[in-house]
Short mmCIF file of all heavy atoms in Angstrom, two decimals:
data_model
loop_
_atom_site.label_atom_id
_atom_site.label_comp_id
_atom_site.label_asym_id
_atom_site.label_seq_id
_atom_site.Cartn_x
_atom_site.Cartn_y
_atom_site.Cartn_z
N CYS A 1 64.38 46.35 -35.24
CA CYS A 1 65.38 46.72 -34.34
C CYS A 1 66.71 46.06 -34.77
O CYS A 1 66.81 45.78 -35.91
CB CYS A 1 65.02 46.28 -32.92
SG CYS A 1 64.96 44.50 -32.58
N GLY A 2 67.70 45.99 -33.85
CA GLY A 2 68.89 45.38 -34.27
C GLY A 2 68.87 44.04 -34.85
O GLY A 2 69.40 43.80 -35.90
N THR A 3 68.24 43.13 -34.10
CA THR A 3 68.19 41.66 -34.61
C THR A 3 66.74 41.34 -34.94
O THR A 3 66.50 40.36 -35.69
CB THR A 3 68.75 40.69 -33.56
OG1 THR A 3 67.90 40.76 -32.42
CG2 THR A 3 70.20 41.03 -33.22
N GLY A 4 65.73 42.01 -34.31
CA GLY A 4 64.42 41.62 -34.49
C GLY A 4 63.90 40.55 -33.47
O GLY A 4 62.71 40.27 -33.35
N ILE A 5 64.83 40.01 -32.77
CA ILE A 5 64.50 38.89 -31.87
C ILE A 5 63.67 39.41 -30.70
O ILE A 5 62.57 38.77 -30.40
CB ILE A 5 65.85 38.15 -31.36
CG1 ILE A 5 66.54 37.59 -32.57
CG2 ILE A 5 65.55 37.13 -30.26
CD1 ILE A 5 67.99 37.10 -32.23
N GLY A 6 64.18 40.31 -29.96
CA GLY A 6 63.42 40.81 -28.81
C GLY A 6 62.07 41.36 -29.11
O GLY A 6 61.05 41.17 -28.40
N MET A 7 62.00 41.99 -30.27
CA MET A 7 60.68 42.61 -30.71
C MET A 7 59.69 41.47 -31.03
O MET A 7 58.52 41.49 -30.70
CB MET A 7 60.87 43.40 -31.93
CG MET A 7 61.76 44.69 -31.67
SD MET A 7 60.88 46.01 -30.96
CE MET A 7 60.50 47.06 -32.34
N SER A 8 60.11 40.49 -31.71
CA SER A 8 59.29 39.32 -32.12
C SER A 8 58.77 38.54 -30.81
O SER A 8 57.67 38.18 -30.71
CB SER A 8 59.89 38.45 -33.05
OG SER A 8 61.01 37.72 -32.62
N ILE A 9 59.76 38.28 -29.87
CA ILE A 9 59.33 37.61 -28.72
C ILE A 9 58.28 38.46 -27.91
O ILE A 9 57.24 37.94 -27.43
CB ILE A 9 60.54 37.40 -27.83
CG1 ILE A 9 61.42 36.29 -28.39
CG2 ILE A 9 60.12 36.96 -26.38
CD1 ILE A 9 62.79 36.20 -27.66
N SER A 10 58.50 39.78 -27.79
CA SER A 10 57.60 40.60 -27.13
C SER A 10 56.21 40.64 -27.75
O SER A 10 55.16 40.52 -27.12
CB SER A 10 58.11 42.05 -27.02
OG SER A 10 59.36 42.10 -26.27
N ALA A 11 56.18 40.85 -29.12
CA ALA A 11 54.96 40.93 -29.89
C ALA A 11 54.18 39.63 -29.71
O ALA A 11 52.84 39.69 -29.57
CB ALA A 11 55.21 41.20 -31.29
N ASN A 12 54.77 38.51 -29.75
CA ASN A 12 54.12 37.20 -29.59
C ASN A 12 53.50 36.95 -28.26
O ASN A 12 52.83 35.99 -28.09
CB ASN A 12 55.06 36.07 -30.07
CG ASN A 12 55.08 35.94 -31.50
OD1 ASN A 12 54.02 36.09 -32.25
ND2 ASN A 12 56.22 35.77 -32.09
N LYS A 13 53.71 37.82 -27.26
CA LYS A 13 53.08 37.58 -26.04
C LYS A 13 51.62 38.17 -26.00
O LYS A 13 50.92 37.88 -25.11
CB LYS A 13 53.91 38.40 -24.93
CG LYS A 13 55.23 37.80 -24.65
CD LYS A 13 55.29 36.36 -24.32
CE LYS A 13 56.68 35.79 -24.10
NZ LYS A 13 56.67 34.37 -23.80
N VAL A 14 51.26 38.90 -27.01
CA VAL A 14 50.02 39.51 -27.14
C VAL A 14 49.10 38.46 -27.79
O VAL A 14 49.39 37.96 -28.93
CB VAL A 14 49.92 40.84 -27.94
CG1 VAL A 14 48.57 41.37 -28.13
CG2 VAL A 14 50.93 41.84 -27.22
N MET A 15 47.89 38.15 -27.16
CA MET A 15 47.08 37.09 -27.75
C MET A 15 46.53 37.58 -29.07
O MET A 15 46.19 38.71 -29.35
CB MET A 15 45.83 37.05 -26.80
CG MET A 15 44.92 35.82 -27.07
SD MET A 15 43.82 35.52 -25.79
CE MET A 15 42.23 35.40 -26.66
N GLY A 16 46.59 36.67 -30.10
CA GLY A 16 46.17 36.90 -31.42
C GLY A 16 47.19 37.29 -32.40
O GLY A 16 46.96 37.44 -33.51
N ILE A 17 48.33 37.57 -31.80
CA ILE A 17 49.52 37.96 -32.65
C ILE A 17 50.30 36.84 -33.16
O ILE A 17 50.63 35.92 -32.35
CB ILE A 17 50.43 38.93 -31.95
CG1 ILE A 17 49.60 40.31 -31.64
CG2 ILE A 17 51.70 39.27 -32.70
CD1 ILE A 17 49.19 41.03 -32.95
N ARG A 18 50.58 36.84 -34.46
CA ARG A 18 51.53 35.85 -35.01
C ARG A 18 52.60 36.62 -35.68
O ARG A 18 52.58 36.95 -36.88
CB ARG A 18 50.73 35.00 -36.06
CG ARG A 18 49.69 34.18 -35.41
CD ARG A 18 48.78 33.39 -36.47
NE ARG A 18 48.06 34.31 -37.27
CZ ARG A 18 47.00 35.00 -36.97
NH1 ARG A 18 46.45 34.99 -35.80
NH2 ARG A 18 46.54 35.80 -37.87
N CYS A 19 53.59 36.93 -34.88
CA CYS A 19 54.73 37.76 -35.27
C CYS A 19 55.79 36.76 -35.81
O CYS A 19 56.23 35.84 -35.13
CB CYS A 19 55.34 38.55 -34.22
SG CYS A 19 56.74 39.60 -34.69
N ALA A 20 56.31 37.08 -37.08
CA ALA A 20 57.36 36.15 -37.58
C ALA A 20 58.66 37.05 -37.81
O ALA A 20 58.60 38.19 -38.31
CB ALA A 20 56.90 35.78 -39.03
N LEU A 21 59.72 36.53 -37.26
CA LEU A 21 61.05 37.09 -37.51
C LEU A 21 61.54 36.58 -38.82
O LEU A 21 61.75 35.43 -39.01
CB LEU A 21 61.94 36.69 -36.35
CG LEU A 21 63.42 37.16 -36.47
CD1 LEU A 21 63.49 38.64 -36.54
CD2 LEU A 21 64.24 36.66 -35.18
N VAL A 22 61.73 37.55 -39.73
CA VAL A 22 62.07 37.14 -41.15
C VAL A 22 63.26 37.84 -41.67
O VAL A 22 63.37 39.08 -41.44
CB VAL A 22 60.82 37.44 -42.07
CG1 VAL A 22 61.21 37.26 -43.49
CG2 VAL A 22 59.58 36.61 -41.60
N HIS A 23 64.17 37.16 -42.32
CA HIS A 23 65.36 37.72 -42.80
C HIS A 23 65.63 37.24 -44.23
O HIS A 23 66.69 37.33 -44.88
CB HIS A 23 66.59 37.38 -41.99
CG HIS A 23 66.49 38.13 -40.66
ND1 HIS A 23 66.67 37.42 -39.44
CD2 HIS A 23 66.26 39.34 -40.38
CE1 HIS A 23 66.51 38.34 -38.54
NE2 HIS A 23 66.27 39.50 -38.98
N ASP A 24 64.57 36.70 -44.97
CA ASP A 24 64.69 36.26 -46.33
C ASP A 24 63.29 36.37 -46.91
O ASP A 24 62.26 36.23 -46.27
CB ASP A 24 65.34 34.82 -46.49
CG ASP A 24 64.40 33.75 -45.82
OD1 ASP A 24 63.47 33.27 -46.52
OD2 ASP A 24 64.63 33.46 -44.70
N VAL A 25 63.25 36.49 -48.25
CA VAL A 25 62.02 36.64 -48.93
C VAL A 25 61.15 35.39 -49.01
O VAL A 25 60.01 35.48 -48.79
CB VAL A 25 62.37 37.10 -50.45
CG1 VAL A 25 61.06 37.14 -51.26
CG2 VAL A 25 63.02 38.38 -50.46
#
């Protein structure tokens, strides 16, 4: 999305998800 912040916060509310917001290799 625009920043990835809201998407990562939302995804991490799901049990078992380890969502990482990444902007570098």
